[in-house]
């Protein structure tokens, strides 16, 4: 395990803890500490990625743990933007825990030694394609988190057990629904651009845009699912609980395909380039 | 010379409103009353007057608080032409620690009719400013009021005492805030124009709702209330057409069975593109079919549900009050410690003076042989005597301070130490000096 990622893991844990305390106690101080810890964690994590990039000569995403680490970093970064905009400790608690778990797993699986990227991957397209795709994933992850939160809050209101009126402010259902919508929209845009950039790159390298390898097919499936999800909101107006539940379902598909493809059908996306 | 803080006052618990009205002073009158108190109550050293619609209180400092209380009562009675007897009967008095605790509790809104309301702190600040302007505040009240402000601020920050809303209407608004991001672009519909529905509508209006629809059995009633609330009256027969506009519906119609059920809302919710609806049922029997709560994005709360939420937040507030009281006690202890140390100051000053005097006397007595020494040796003798004196003084001070922390005994010990060190005959002249020290208050 590398030193910087270890430090980042610790700060993510610290951040998650403080945001959790801020949630239950409603104190602004915990929130500030949590936010600071998250920023520090992202900074160390970023240094780790820079060091990795310098060693590999490109984005260090040649194997599953490295990719997971990069994904965790983008999630934490996107989460930071979200917290800065909406000021909800509970979003911080979710983001920091997600970053902690993802980077923790990645760090445990990481092997020491020099990562050598195959020749086919040493391209300017790699960082563009991978960053877009992973940014899309991390926005979908945050959308899923916000949707889970929505379902919990909504069931409390429906079940006549709302949060104490006049207690520390909690995000309203309408606000959570709106955040979910925006995250889905941006995530969808990123995923679309990732698919387009990937096709162009594939055409430049192998001479064809699309080769129906597992990751590509699954990307197409998730892209269609997210498109349908956004479509249902824009045309029929499906929102609220229905939208939240569907966001979670589609994200489960996405998560399954990402982990499944990476572990069992690596193909070009998993590092086999024969 | 031992000054005590005292409070004399009437409030909503001790005095009927007729008496409170007569004792209420307008903002422009406070300085005049304080000036009169200063002139007519020789026992009073410091004073401030707090007058709100629920309480009139004098916070004072005096060496003889029993006498000062009597004098204050007489002045207040005379100013307002109230007999002293009923006034004394309806008033409360606190002395020393109890008085300071009372001041802190008042400032933190723990003694208010609506616990946690925010106005009282502003009123207390005003009372303090007036007393400063009248020149009736000195060391002790300055500190006591500033502490009271700090305590109030800390309680507001560290507890949720100012948060909890407890009326059914405010619970309804609080729940709406958990469903909707903002109320500014929402429409409230009153179904029936009962008194409670109207109060609730006013609450929503105060929290930003701009569009209000009123639908009542008699259109004239609806129109009258619409005018009062700045809303729009809707005829009962076109209720269904307007229902899709309403984000919040407050039902209070007198009806034997539910007026609106799932069949009415199935279509409405689709037309609204699944935007949430908050149904508040204040009617008994209920206006809305309970099954409505099962429909997606509809949240139905009847009067019992609202009462339950209100009760929960009331009990929440009770536990916050306990936390607030604990903060008051903590700050009170700190203040009392300061006050007692303040009382030690004259005694300590006296002891130091007499020691200095003794040292000068002794040095003078030995001037003959001291002058025969060279400058360096003389300097050493100086240092030796001063060092010895400071060591002894330090021991005495430490002992006194520790004694004071425990009890009043410390103060008596300080007196005793002062007398012993000054010698019986000389103490009078020092007492005079003390008089000029603390006599500048009033």
């Amino acid at each position: 395990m590398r030193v910087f990622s270890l430090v980042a893991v610790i700060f993510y844990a610290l951040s998650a803890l403080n945001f959790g305390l801020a949630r239950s106690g409603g104190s602004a101080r915990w929130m500030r500490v949590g936010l600071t810890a998250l920023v520090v964690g992202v900074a160390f994590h970023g240094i780790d990625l820079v060091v990795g990039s310098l060693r590999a000569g490109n984005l260090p995403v040649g194997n599953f743990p490295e990719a997971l680490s990069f994904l965790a970093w983008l999630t934490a970064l996107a989460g930071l933007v979200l917290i800065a905009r909406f000021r909800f400790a509970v979003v911080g608690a979710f983001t920091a825990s997600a970053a902690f778990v993802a980077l923790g797993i990645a760090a445990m699986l990481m092997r020491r030694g020099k990562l050598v990227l195959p020749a086919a991957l040493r391209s300017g397209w790699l960082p563009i394609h991978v960053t877009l795709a992973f940014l899309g994933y991390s926005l979908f992850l945050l959308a899923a988190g916000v949707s889970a939160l929505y379902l919990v809050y909504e069931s409390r209101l429906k079940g006549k057990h709302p949060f104490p009126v006049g207690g520390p402010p909690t995000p309203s259902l309408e606000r959570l629904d709106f955040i979910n919508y925006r995250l889905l929209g941006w995530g969808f845009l990123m995923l679309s651009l990732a698919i387009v950039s990937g096709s162009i790159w594939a055409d430049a390298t192998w001479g064809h845009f699309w080769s129906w390898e597992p990751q590509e097919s699954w990307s197409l499936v998730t892209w269609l699912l997210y498109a349908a999800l956004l479509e249902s909101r824009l045309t029929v107006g499906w929102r609220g609980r229905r939208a939240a539940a569907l966001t979670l379902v589609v994200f489960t598909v996405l998560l399954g395909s990402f982990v499944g493809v990476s572990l069992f059908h690596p193909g070009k996306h998993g590092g086999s380039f024969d | 010379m031992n000054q005590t803080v005292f409070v004399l006052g009437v409030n909503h618990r001790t005095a009927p409103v007729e008496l409170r009205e007569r004792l209420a002073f307008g903002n422009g009158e406070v300085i005049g009353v304080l000036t009169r108190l200063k002139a007519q109550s020789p026992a009073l050293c410091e004073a401030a007057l707090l007058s709100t619609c629920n309480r009139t209180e004098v916070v004072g400092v005096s060496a003889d608080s029993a006498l000062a209380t009597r004098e204050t009562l007489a002045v207040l009675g005379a100013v307002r032409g109230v007999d002293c007897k009923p006034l004394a009967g309806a008033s409360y008095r606190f002395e020393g620690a109890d008085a300071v605790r009372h001041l802190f509790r008042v400032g933190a809104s723990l003694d208010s009719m609506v616990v946690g309301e925010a106005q009282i702190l502003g009123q207390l600040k005003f009372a303090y400013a007036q007393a400063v302007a009248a020149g009736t505040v000195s060391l002790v009240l300055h500190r006591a009021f500033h502490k009271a402000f700090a305590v109030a601020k800390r309680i507001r920050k560290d507890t949720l005492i100012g948060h909890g809303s407890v009326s059914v209407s405010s619970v309804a608004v609080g729940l709406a805030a958990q469903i909707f991001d903002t109320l500014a672009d929402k429409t409230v519909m009153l179904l029936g124009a009962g008194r409670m529905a109207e109060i609730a509508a006013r609450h929503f209006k105060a929290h930003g709702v701009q569009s209000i629809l009123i639908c009542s059995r008699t259109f004239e009633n609806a129109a009258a209330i619409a005018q009062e609330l700045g809303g729009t009256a809707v005829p009962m027969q076109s209720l269904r057409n307007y229902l899709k506009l309403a984000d919040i519906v407050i039902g209070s119609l007198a009806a034997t069975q539910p007026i609106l059920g799932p069949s009415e809302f199935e279509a409405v919710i689709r037309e609204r593109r699944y935007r949430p609806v908050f149904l508040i049922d204040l009617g008994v029997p209920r206006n809305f079919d309970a099954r409505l709560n099962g429909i997606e994005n509809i949240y139905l709360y009847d009067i019992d549900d609202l009462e339950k939420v209100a009760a929960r937040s009331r009990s929440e507030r009770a536990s916050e009050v306990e936390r607030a009281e604990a903060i008051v006690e903590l700050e009170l202890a700190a203040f009392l410690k300061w006050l007692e140390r303040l009382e030690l100051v004259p005694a300590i000053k006296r002891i130091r003076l007499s020691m200095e005097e003794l040292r000068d006397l002794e040095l003078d007595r030995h001037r003959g042989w001291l002058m025969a020494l060279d400058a360096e040796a003389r300097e050493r003798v100086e240092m030796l005597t001063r060092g010895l004196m400071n060591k002894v003084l330090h021991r005495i001070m430490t002992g006194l301070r520790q004694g004071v922390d425990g009890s009043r005994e410390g103060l008596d010990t300080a007196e005793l130490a002062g007398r012993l060190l000054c010698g019986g005959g000389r103490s009078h002249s020092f007492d005079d000096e003390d008089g000029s020290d603390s006599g500048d208050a009033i």
Side-chain angles (χ1 to χ4, degrees), chain A residues 154 157-158 166 174 235 242, chain B residues 163 181 293 295 298-299 301:
Chain A
E154 129 110 26
L157 268 166
K158 278 267 189 201
E174 202 181 27
T235 53
R242 204 176 287 206
Chain B
H163 280 289
D181 192 30
N293 197 46
I295 296 183
I298 290 185
Y299 305 90
Y301 276 72

Side-chain angles (χ1 to χ4, degrees), chain B residues 327-373:
Chain B
I327 292 174
V328 166
E329 289 308 315
L330 218 66
E331 297 284 348
L332 178 66
F335 179 81
L336 291 178
K337 200 171 270 183
W338 173 82
L339 199 61
E340 281 169 351
R341 289 211 174 140
L342 186 70
E343 289 170 4
L344 264 186
V345 168
I348 288 174
K349 209 187 253 174
R350 200 186 322 179
I351 293 167
R352 176 170 277 281
L353 267 172
S354 69
M355 294 277 283
E356 288 275 9
E357 210 176 50
L358 277 178
R359 192 172 79 96
D360 284 349
L361 263 169
E362 286 308 293
L363 285 176
D364 222 35
R365 228 149 55 97
H366 296 283
R367 179 181 294 273
W369 65 267
L370 276 173
M371 290 311 274
L373 296 173

Side-chain angles (χ1 to χ4, degrees), chain B residues 208-227:
Chain B
V209 167
Q210 301 192 342
S211 159
I212 301 177
L213 302 172
I214 298 109
C215 186
S216 167
R217 286 232 170 79
T218 41
F219 187 72
E220 287 71 33
N221 276 354
I225 289 178
Q227 182 142 35

Side-chain angles (χ1 to χ4, degrees), chain A residues 121-133:
Chain A
L121 281 185
R122 292 193 204 129
S123 156
W125 282 105
L126 177 75
I128 297 174
H129 172 67
V130 172
T131 305
L132 285 169

Side-chain angles (χ1 to χ4, degrees), chain B residues 4 15 40 90 152 160 163 201 263 265-266 269 290 355 361 363 388 397 409:
Chain B
T4 331
Q40 297 184 357
L160 295 173
H163 280 289
S263 58
F265 270 98
E266 294 278 2
I269 203 82
M355 294 277 283
L361 263 169
L363 285 176
L388 188 61
M397 305 293 161
E409 257 171 61

